[in-house]
Amino acid sequence: YQEKAQFPQAGLHSAVVGWTPPARLGSALLHYLVTWSGAGGNGLEPEKRTLLVPGDVTSTEVTDLAMGQGYTFYVKVGVNKV
C-alpha cells in the first residue's frame, strides 16, 4: 500500500507531511516509509531520500529541503508478514 502524501505543509527549509492510515491491512502496522524527491546535487537529476516513521505516527517533519524547489512525497506502509 502506497499513497501520495495528503497534506504537506511547507516551512523555510522543511515540510510537515501527513497521511491517513489504511483502514484494513490484515497484519500489524510496523512503520511507514516516507520517500521524497526534488532537486539533485547537480540540479539535473532528482535526489531521492527516505525516512522511516513508527506505525503509530501519521505525520513527520522532513528537513534540509532547498528553498524554492518543488518536492513530491510518498508514504508506503510497512507491515509484519503473516
Side-chain angles (χ1 to χ4, degrees):
Y1 177 84
Q2 177 175 309
E3 69 175 44
K4 195 169 185 177
Q6 293 180 348
F7 28 82
Q9 298 175 8
L12 186 57
H13 292 282
S14 65
V16 175
V17 181
W19 54 90
T20 302
R24 293 178 142 198
L25 292 174
S27 297
L29 177 60
L30 297 179
H31 60 266
Y32 294 99
L33 184 63
V34 178
T35 59
W36 65 97
S37 60
N42 60 11
L44 300 174
E45 298 195 19
E47 176 186 17
K48 293 183 181 175
R49 298 176 64 188
T50 62
L51 179 64
L52 195 63
V53 179
D56 60 343
V57 175
T58 58
S59 68
T60 191
E61 183 175 15
V62 177
T63 59
D64 198 27
L65 302 176
M67 203 157 93
Q69 175 63 43
Y71 290 88
T72 302
F73 298 90
Y74 289 92
V75 180
K76 186 175 183 178
V77 172
V79 296
N80 190 13
K81 292 184 180 181
V82 180

